[in-house]
Amino acid sequence: MTDHPSIIIRIAIGKAIGFVIGLAGFIILPFLVPDVGWQLRWGILLWYTTLGAIVGVFGIFTRHPVLMFPMPWWVRAPIIGGWMNFVLMFFAYEQMEVVLVAMFGAASPLNMPLWFVVEGAVVGALIAGIATRIGGEGPESVDI
């Protein structure tokens, strides 16, 4: 953790990690699903970059703003990541189903797009863990 935590550092770290994860999806997806379109590939790259930024921004909340109970990064980030990927899955269900069936087969239990919610929770926790370790967290990260 740095001596002077900063929300900008958290956001930059979150975006960088999200970009790396999105870039991996951008590069690997055509090998798994040869007929995947450019729109989905660019969407994955930009989605995970945005997810990283949002997880980074929410690092200033260490307590729930209304209910006032503690929300450490390992609770907050998986909820955000899971919710963001749920929204993605909700709007792109058919495309994700095609990708998962191509990757795992039609008979596999892993071909349901709801698995993207779990994946979003894991990615959110990964991003928040690294961003918290390097950039700090809490209200002291906002210099007012």
Side-chain angles (χ1 to χ4, degrees):
M1 190 166 151
T2 61
D3 292 336
H4 303 288
S6 169
I7 192 69
I8 300 301
I9 292 172
R10 285 188 59 86
I11 295 169
I13 291 168
K15 286 174 75 171
I17 296 168
F19 180 80
V20 168
I21 293 169
L23 187 62
F26 184 88
I27 293 169
I28 294 171
L29 196 58
F31 294 108
L32 300 173
V33 185
D35 59 341
V36 70
W38 282 98
Q39 185 179 14
L40 182 61
R41 291 178 67 195
W42 279 105
I44 287 173
L45 175 65
L46 298 175
W47 181 262
Y48 284 106
T49 304
T50 304
L51 176 66
I54 291 172
V55 168
V57 165
F58 274 92
I60 62 170
F61 295 108
T62 55
R63 300 187 72 73
H64 190 281
V66 176
L67 302 175
M68 297 308 291
F69 59 83
M71 288 189 61
W73 67 267
W74 47 270
V75 171
R76 180 181 61 239
I79 292 171
I80 294 168
W83 176 254
M84 291 290 293
N85 272 19
F86 175 75
V87 171
L88 175 67
M89 183 269 316
F90 185 73
F91 288 108
Y93 189 90
E94 291 84 15
Q95 285 182 314
M96 292 184 168
E97 189 173 40
V98 168
V99 169
L100 290 174
V101 167
M103 287 171 56
F104 299 113
S108 174
L110 297 175
N111 67 5
M112 282 183 35
L114 283 171
W115 283 107
F116 280 106
V117 176
V118 175
E119 187 255 349
V122 170
V123 168
L126 174 73
I127 291 169
I130 295 171
T132 299
R133 178 117 172 113
I134 296 171
E137 73 175 339
E140 66 272 2
S141 64
V142 180
D143 195 14
I144 296 176

